[in-house]
């Protein structure tokens, strides 16, 4: 921001979002009212504005009764916050006056620039006028207060926009007058897209097209604007544009480009070449080299033949261009010239077109006295010289299109190779080669080439890991390999271990003048200030890919505005894209972005007594992370409400803060797809919240995210997330959030068979809910405790807890929760052998679930009801229930739960004599997923299919399944399935003639059933 620190005075930027700078320090002047008051004063510096004018600017027609007082208070605070504020804003009569000098305000500099440009143009100094206009227009960043100020600022912005467009048109007139045509076509199209009714701009485009031999395109532009004017305004084009149209039709000589005085082209002696040397160990990029050479060989027409090579810093753009230039040198014998345009160079400024033209002329041997003193003359001489020679021109390290276009001319047979970190979209007829990272095989080959094949082949796994940690970026690979080559005592594994520390990885990739971090910093510092801030904020996103909605949350914008930022960073190769709408950081770029915010980190208190890390920028990153967490909470709320109707949102103490626009979450399918896609990112966001000690978000987000984790059977992640939520709740000291987190963790414990731990969690949760007088929590925790005790076979203890849970849920009208507990009660009755009561509980669960549209709970109820019907011997009824469950299951069941449905389906089909269908379902039940991660389902499914095999004479297979079921059940204390497994093993052994072993297992089973008060099952 050095350009804002002129004369040591505070600087103000109001052409766009408001900014106040004191040297390189940005000053926060206050809230929206402060900014509106100050901008209003700065719009008319040196003029007294009454308070009512400031009130109108701040509130339009909705001013509160205290508006005048608030304006005075805002002025007082502005005087305190702005260095020298008391001298800047003075009170006079009925209002206030800003004593800002024009040089202090970008609007003042803009106005002065337009004035100086007009004077230069009148004096015939076109080059000076063009330069001054460009500098003035570069100050423009958008409407006042970024368009969010209200009607007063909208009107002022409209007037300023008109002044800007008039200046733009004047600039294009001047550029046309000095002979530019093809160079301005792309820029004109951009302005016309934004302002399609500006006839002057359209006429300038028509003239530029005509002068480049595109008469038909010029006529087409007239047709477009004529149709647009008639459709929008009901009028035709004005006289000036119509006359231009007629002149184009006549191919009038009056429209020809002006004949500018120019020096005669220079003919170099010999074959000058300033190309850098071609790398001996150039590796990979065969496809890109082949594509580039093929384009040059097959390109039709006259030049310039332009190849634009773009890619992130360190991707090997220059090496590729140099390799191609050397391969093509014989086809372009007059000269092969290389120049670094210094678009991204340490401690340097981009080279101007005039300076580049002078350097190129000197490379050709042009005597100093023949090189014009003015930039326009040097460029003209270079272009005339270029047009008469067959040469290669390698323009390396270009900042953007505008730096390159003045150096090109037509017709010519010159091959122009341009490299840039930015995607050069406005170089007409250029062939683009965009470099990504290297393929893994090429990365390994590059390391081998630099390090030496023998040393690399000694540690192939470590070399592969090294290439991954370098992100397959050629510069990083070369630096890493070079460090190893200089340190023969280092193993590749040693460097790999050093690179695993993400916070210091960039520091390791530094060798002499070459540094990945410096390369990335140059790209970063080439961004505008607001884009640099956006880059830092986006770097906080913890997931592998970020979508436009999450980016909008981080940036505090809508998704469309966020997409513009993301696309710009994509064009600058600071982001990657593998799918439309989703963006990703290269690993090293992510490290760089996060390092930017790590420097100067400090602890800072936030609302609610929490403490978390914040970074430079007065809490900008803190606020961005908070917005992201609010967004994630709101989006998961919406998705879970659709997928799990009737669920309760527990633990909220108030509304969310600012929430970005949510993705489309209007249907069950959209919710399911979004949660599936964003699962890993959501887990990472919870971890981010925990690291930043935003503990309330940790607990509430976890309560949502565990729903889809449970649905997909990702139980280990469910458990881990539950532990994180409990730790965060304890750290926060919030009893209600701790109860919620303990309750969720106890459910995960049950699903994973960690029953004793689950009981400890649920008992603590229950004690908290009672102490908080939280009836909903009491109902949940009593029910979970009953479920855990039931699984352990402690039915006498479990039954009253489940009944109590159901009673409370019924009183509260919590129908989804009641349906869930009814299925648990039905399971208890079925295991206990009390099948009529199991039927009654499951039937009510199905009815409740259907009434609220909870398909997942309806499927659970149908499954339990089928189990009870099987117990009563009502096989046909059970078959019908399971058919309904299979039809509804779809995406509503985890693989393990679906395995149980299929196992039960195999059992009833077998009993109904449908042996082929039974075998298919039995096989599917065992192969659907890895049941070892869900021991309760592994035990139940193994026992069901084991009995099926015994009935069908496959005794060895049956015994093996029952044995695995026993191991799974005994490991977690699932007593009833352990007893069933022992009974099944006994049946299989008995059929195989091993009566003694069978008797032993049967006695053990009987003892277990008797201890639980459960009747022993009949033989299969």
């Amino acid at each position: 921001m050095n350009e804002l620190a002129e004369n040591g005075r505070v600087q103000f930027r109001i052409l766009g979002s408001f900014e106040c700078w004191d040297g390189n320090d940005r000053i926060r002047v206050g809230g929206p009212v402060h900014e509106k008051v100050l901008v209003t004063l700065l719009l008319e510096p040196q003029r007294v504005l009454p308070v009512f004018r400031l009130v109108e600017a701040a509130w339009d027609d909705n001013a509160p009764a205290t508006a005048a007082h608030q304006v005075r208070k805002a002025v007082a605070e502005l005087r305190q916050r702005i260095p020298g504020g008391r001298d800047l804003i003075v009170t006079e009569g009925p209002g206030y006056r800003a004593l800002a000098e024009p040089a202090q305000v970008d609007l003042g500099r803009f106005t002065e620039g337009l004035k100086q440009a007009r004077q230069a143009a009148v004096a015939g100094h076109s080059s000076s006028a063009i330069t001054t206009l460009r500098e003035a227009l570069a100050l423009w960043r958008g409407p006042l207060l970024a368009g969010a100020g209200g009607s007063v600022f909208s009107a002022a912005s409209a007037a300023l926009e008109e002044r800007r467009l008039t200046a733009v048109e004047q600039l294009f007139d001047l550029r046309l007058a000095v002979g530019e045509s093809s160079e301005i076509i792309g820029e004109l199209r951009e302005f016309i897209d934004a302002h399609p009714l500006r006839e002057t701009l359209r006429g300038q485009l028509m003239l530029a097209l005509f002068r480049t031999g595109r008469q038909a395109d010029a006529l087409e532009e007239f047709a477009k604007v004529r149709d647009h004017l008639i459709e929008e305004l009901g009028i035709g084009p004005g006289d000036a544009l119509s006359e231009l149209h007629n002149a184009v039709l006549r191919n009038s000589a009056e429209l020809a480009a002006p004949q500018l005085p120019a020096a005669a082209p220079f003919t170099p002696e010999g074959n000058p070449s300033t190309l850098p040397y071609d790398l001996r160990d150039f590796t990979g990029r065969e496809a890109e080299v082949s594509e580039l050479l093929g384009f040059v060989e097959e390109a039709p027409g006259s030049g310039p033949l332009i190849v634009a090579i773009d890619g992130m810093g360190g991707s090997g753009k220059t090496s590729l261009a140099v390799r191609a230039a050397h391969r093509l040198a014989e086809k372009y014998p007059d000269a092969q010239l290389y120049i670094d345009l210094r678009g991204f160079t340490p401690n340097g400024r981009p080279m101007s077109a005039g300076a580049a033209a002078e350097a190129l002329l000197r490379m050709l041997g042009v005597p100093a006295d023949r090189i014009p003193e003015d930039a326009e003359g040097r460029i003209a001489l270079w272009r005339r010289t270029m047009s008469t020679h067959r040469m290669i021109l390698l323009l390396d390290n270009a900042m953007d299109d505008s730096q390159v276009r003045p150096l090109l001319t037509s017709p010519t047979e010159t091959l122009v190779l341009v490299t840039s970190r930015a995607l050069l979209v406005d170089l007409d007829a250029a062939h683009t080669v965009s470099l990504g990272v290297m393929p893994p095989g090429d990365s390994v080959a590059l390391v081998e080439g630099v390090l030496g094949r023998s040393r690399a082949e000694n540690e192939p796994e470590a070399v592969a890991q090294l290439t991954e940690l370098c992100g397959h970026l050629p510069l990083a690979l070369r630096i890493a390999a070079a460090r190893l080559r200089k340190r023969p005592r280092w193993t590749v594994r040693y460097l790999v271990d050093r690179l695993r520390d993400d916070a210091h990885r960039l520091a390791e990739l530094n060798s002499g003048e070459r540094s990945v971090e410096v390369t990335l910093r140059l790209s970063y510092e080439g961004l505008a200030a607001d884009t640099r801030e956006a880059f830092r904020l986006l770097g906080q996103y913890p997931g592998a890919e970020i979508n436009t909605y999450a980016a909008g949350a981080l940036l505090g914008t809508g998704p469309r505005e966020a997409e513009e930022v993301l696309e710009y960073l994509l064009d600058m190769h600071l982001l990657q894209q593998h799918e439309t709408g989703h963006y990703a950081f290269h690993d090293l770029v992510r490290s760089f972005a996060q390092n930017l915010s790590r420097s100067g980190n400090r602890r800072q208190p936030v609302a609610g007594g929490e403490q978390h890390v914040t970074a430079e920028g007065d809490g900008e990153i803190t606020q961005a992370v908070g917005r992201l967490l609010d967004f994630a909470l709101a989006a998961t709320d919406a998705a879970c409400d659709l997928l799990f109707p009737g669920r309760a949102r527990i633990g909220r103490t108030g509304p969310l803060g600012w929430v970005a626009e949510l993705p489309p979450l209007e249907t069950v399918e959209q919710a399911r797809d979004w949660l599936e896609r964003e699962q890993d990112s959501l887990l990472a966001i919870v971890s981010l919240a925990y690291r930043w000690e935003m503990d309330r978000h940790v607990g509430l987000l976890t309560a949502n995210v565990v729903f889809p984790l449970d649905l997909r059977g990702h139980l280990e992640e469910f458990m881990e997330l539950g532990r994180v939520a409990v730790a965060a709740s304890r750290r926060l000291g919030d009893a209600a959030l701790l109860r919620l987190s303990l309750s969720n963790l106890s459910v995960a414990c049950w699903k994973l068979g960690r029953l004793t731990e689950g009981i400890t969690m649920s008992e603590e949760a229950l004690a908290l809910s009672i102490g908080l007088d939280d009836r909903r929590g009491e109902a949940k925790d009593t029910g979970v405790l009953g479920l855990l005790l039931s699984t352990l076979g402690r039915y006498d203890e479990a039954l009253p807890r489940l009944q109590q849970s159901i009673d409370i849920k019924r009183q509260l009208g919590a129908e989804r929760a009641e349906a869930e507990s009814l299925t648990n009660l039905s399971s208890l009755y079925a295991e206990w052998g009390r099948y009529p009561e199991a039927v009654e509980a499951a039937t009510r669960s199905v009815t409740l679930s259907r009434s609220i549209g909870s398909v997942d709970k309806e499927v659970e109820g149908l499954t339990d009801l089928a189990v009870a019907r099987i117990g009563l011997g009502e096989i046909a009824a059970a078959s019908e229930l399971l058919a309904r469950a299979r039809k509804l299951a779809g995406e509503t069941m985890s693989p393990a739960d679906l395995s149980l449905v299929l196992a039960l389906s195999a059992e009833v089909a077998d009993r109904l004599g449908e042996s082929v269908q039974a075998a298919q379902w039995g096989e599917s039940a065992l192969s659907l997923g890895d049941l070892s991660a869900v021991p309760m389902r592994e035990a139940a499914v193994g026992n069901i299919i084991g009995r099926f095999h015994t009935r069908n004479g496959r005794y060895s297979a049956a015994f093996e399944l029952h044995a695995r079921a026993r191991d799974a059940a005994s490991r977690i204390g699932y007593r009833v399935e352990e007893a069933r497994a022992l009974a099944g093993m006994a049946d299989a052994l008995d059929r195989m003639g091993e009566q003694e072993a069978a008797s032993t297992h049967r006695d053990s089973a009987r003892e277990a059933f008797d201890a639980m008060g459960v009747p022993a099952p009949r033989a299969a």
Side-chain angles (χ1 to χ4, degrees), residues 731-802:
R731 184 167 65 185
L732 183 60
D734 187 315
L737 195 63
L738 177 59
R739 188 220 64 77
L740 171 65
S741 302
L742 286 166
S743 184
N744 284 326
L745 181 56
S746 65
V747 172
C749 289
W750 174 73
K751 288 180 176 290
L752 285 167
R754 301 177 186 180
L755 306 179
T756 303
E757 182 183 356
I759 287 175
T760 301
M761 298 294 126
S762 61
E763 286 178 339
E764 183 180 357
L766 179 58
L768 285 168
S769 62
I770 293 172
L772 293 165
D773 195 24
D774 178 1
R775 294 285 284 166
R776 186 178 291 275
E778 182 181 354
K780 170 72 179 295
D781 301 321
T782 302
V784 174
L785 184 56
L787 178 62
L788 289 158
L789 292 169
S790 175
T791 306
L792 287 169
R794 294 159 60 177
Y795 301 120
D796 288 331
E797 299 174 66
L799 180 59
R801 288 177 168 81
L802 285 173

Side-chain angles (χ1 to χ4, degrees), residues 596-750:
L596 288 171
S597 56
R598 284 194 187 106
S599 58
N601 283 352
R602 59 189 183 275
R603 293 275 172 175
Q604 176 173 304
V606 297
E610 299 182 24
Q611 295 267 336
H612 59 78
V613 175
T614 185
E616 296 181 30
D618 290 332
E620 290 168 348
I621 292 178
T622 307
Q623 295 169 19
V625 171
R627 289 194 300 267
L628 176 65
L629 298 180
D630 283 344
F631 162 78
L633 189 53
T636 53
D637 272 343
C640 288
D641 286 348
L642 281 167
L643 283 175
F644 310 102
R647 78 182 189 107
R649 294 188 186 181
I650 303 172
R652 300 297 168 83
T653 58
L656 294 173
W658 182 90
V659 177
E661 181 180 336
L662 299 183
L665 293 171
E666 298 171 0
T667 67
V668 169
E669 291 73 18
Q670 288 176 333
R672 183 183 299 119
D673 291 346
W674 183 81
L675 284 171
E676 179 78 15
R677 169 139 204 163
E678 299 299 324
Q679 175 183 293
D680 291 343
S681 291
L682 289 170
L683 293 174
I685 287 171
V686 174
S687 296
L688 176 71
Y690 185 78
R691 291 196 304 274
W692 281 67
E693 300 183 20
M694 295 184 175
D695 293 327
R696 180 164 300 283
H697 283 91
V698 174
L700 296 179
L701 264 175
T702 295
N704 284 347
V705 176
V706 295
F707 273 92
L709 289 177
D710 183 20
L711 181 65
R712 295 298 177 196
H714 301 307
L715 300 183
E716 290 294 343
E717 290 92 338
F718 186 169
M719 170 73 81
E720 180 59 29
L721 212 58
R723 294 192 193 284
V724 170
V726 167
S729 302
R730 292 193 194 282
R731 184 167 65 185
L732 183 60
D734 187 315
L737 195 63
L738 177 59
R739 188 220 64 77
L740 171 65
S741 302
L742 286 166
S743 184
N744 284 326
L745 181 56
S746 65
V747 172
C749 289
W750 174 73

Side-chain angles (χ1 to χ4, degrees), residues 753 935 939 963-975 977-979 981:
R964 289 210 300 264
R966 179 199 59 186
D967 291 343
S970 62
R971 187 168 68 248
I972 64 174
Y974 193 1
R975 294 179 61 194
E977 289 298 345
E978 182 181 2

Side-chain angles (χ1 to χ4, degrees), residues 1003-1018:
D1003 290 343
S1004 298
R1006 188 177 296 109
E1007 289 177 9
F1009 284 125
D1010 289 344
M1012 291 182 287
V1014 173
R1018 291 171 293 178

Side-chain angles (χ1 to χ4, degrees), residues 132-341:
T132 305
L133 272 175
R134 279 177 166 156
E135 291 174 351
L137 289 168
L139 297 169
W140 190 273
R141 296 175 298 116
L144 299 171
L145 295 175
S151 62
V152 171
F153 294 100
S154 295
S157 293
L160 289 172
E161 174 69 0
E162 182 61 33
R163 289 176 61 192
R164 179 178 82 106
L165 289 175
T166 300
V168 167
E169 291 167 347
Q170 181 186 2
L171 176 60
F172 284 128
D173 273 338
L174 287 168
R175 293 175 68 181
L176 284 165
V178 298
E180 292 191 43
S181 296
S182 61
E183 299 90 344
I184 64 174
I185 289 174
E187 297 174 62
L188 277 165
R189 290 195 187 282
E190 287 184 10
F191 279 101
I192 288 171
D193 286 344
H195 307 280
L197 299 179
R198 300 285 295 198
E199 294 187 45
T200 300
L201 289 172
R202 193 78 67 161
Q204 290 167 334
L205 176 58
M206 290 172 61
L207 185 57
L209 290 168
F210 178 81
R211 288 179 176 177
T212 54
R214 298 165 64 178
Q215 183 182 20
D217 290 340
L219 295 173
E220 183 182 354
E221 288 300 325
F222 180 81
K224 286 180 182 177
V225 70
R226 179 190 59 206
D227 294 344
H228 209 70
L229 286 167
I230 291 173
E231 181 180 347
E232 294 290 328
L233 304 177
I235 60 173
D239 292 342
L241 197 62
S242 297
E243 290 173 5
L244 175 61
H245 173 247
N246 291 331
V248 172
L249 281 172
R250 298 193 311 271
N251 200 15
S252 174
E254 297 176 358
L255 301 183
Q259 295 297 314
L260 301 177
F266 178 80
T267 301
E269 296 181 3
N271 184 351
S273 178
T274 60
L275 292 178
Y277 66 88
D278 192 13
L279 292 175
R280 286 181 55 199
D281 58 359
F282 183 89
T283 304
R285 302 299 190 196
E286 287 85 358
E288 290 86 351
V289 171
S290 177
E291 176 189 350
L292 194 159
L293 297 179
F295 169 75
V296 173
E297 290 288 342
E298 300 171 8
S302 60
L305 195 59
I306 307 171
V307 178
I309 305 171
D310 60 85
M312 68 180 289
S315 60
K317 302 179 294 296
T318 301
S319 298
L320 173 64
V322 169
R323 165 59 57 104
H326 280 285
R327 294 275 293 272
L328 293 165
E330 291 184 1
K331 290 175 61 68
Y332 297 90
D334 293 345
Q336 302 91 40
L337 304 183
Y338 168 91
I339 185 169
D340 182 357
L341 296 180

Side-chain angles (χ1 to χ4, degrees), residues 300-544:
S302 60
L305 195 59
I306 307 171
V307 178
I309 305 171
D310 60 85
M312 68 180 289
S315 60
K317 302 179 294 296
T318 301
S319 298
L320 173 64
V322 169
R323 165 59 57 104
H326 280 285
R327 294 275 293 272
L328 293 165
E330 291 184 1
K331 290 175 61 68
Y332 297 90
D334 293 345
Q336 302 91 40
L337 304 183
Y338 168 91
I339 185 169
D340 182 357
L341 296 180
R342 300 203 298 264
F344 301 89
T345 302
N347 303 316
R349 300 185 64 181
M351 183 180 288
S352 69
E358 179 180 1
L360 290 167
L361 290 169
R362 290 185 182 279
M363 291 177 198
L364 291 175
V366 178
D369 59 357
R370 285 200 57 185
I371 299 177
E373 294 183 1
D374 63 300
E376 287 183 22
R378 292 195 294 269
I379 292 171
L381 176 58
W382 159 251
R383 292 170 67 176
R384 289 177 60 81
T385 300
M386 176 184 175
S387 68
T388 59
H389 291 84
R390 189 172 179 82
M391 69 174 77
I392 291 176
L393 175 61
L394 202 170
L395 302 175
D396 191 28
N397 200 10
M399 172 65 78
D400 53 29
D401 312 82
S402 63
Q403 193 183 14
V404 173
R405 279 196 300 268
L407 299 174
L408 307 181
T409 190
S410 182
T412 180
E413 295 186 71
T414 297
L415 169 64
V416 182
L417 302 174
V418 187
T419 73
S420 178
R421 299 187 187 188
L423 180 62
L424 304 179
V425 295
D426 288 333
L427 284 181
D428 289 340
H431 177 73
T432 298
V433 177
S434 292
L435 295 188
V437 296
M438 298 185 77
D442 288 349
S443 297
V444 171
L446 193 156
V447 173
E448 290 177 347
V450 177
L451 180 59
R453 183 178 298 274
S454 60
R455 189 173 171 192
E457 288 180 346
N458 287 335
E459 299 180 82
E461 291 185 6
V463 169
Q465 292 171 358
L466 178 69
T467 63
E468 289 289 333
L469 289 167
C470 290
H472 301 288
L473 186 68
L475 175 62
L477 293 167
R478 286 189 176 278
I479 290 173
R483 292 194 72 193
L484 287 169
R485 188 178 60 195
K486 293 176 182 178
R487 294 165 174 78
R489 294 186 180 181
W490 281 19
T491 63
V492 180
R493 170 64 57 193
Y494 178 73
L495 181 56
V496 165
D497 291 339
R498 291 172 69 99
L499 290 174
R500 289 193 189 282
D501 183 355
D502 187 62
H504 298 93
R505 185 182 305 173
L506 290 175
E508 294 290 338
L509 296 173
N510 183 4
S511 178
E513 294 183 357
R514 295 189 300 177
S515 166
V516 173
E517 183 170 11
V518 170
T519 298
L520 295 175
R521 184 170 291 279
L522 290 171
S523 294
Y524 168 75
E525 291 179 348
L527 303 174
D530 54 350
T531 310
R532 290 200 298 270
E533 180 179 326
F535 176 80
R536 293 194 301 273
L537 298 184
L538 291 169
Q540 302 306 309
Y541 191 74

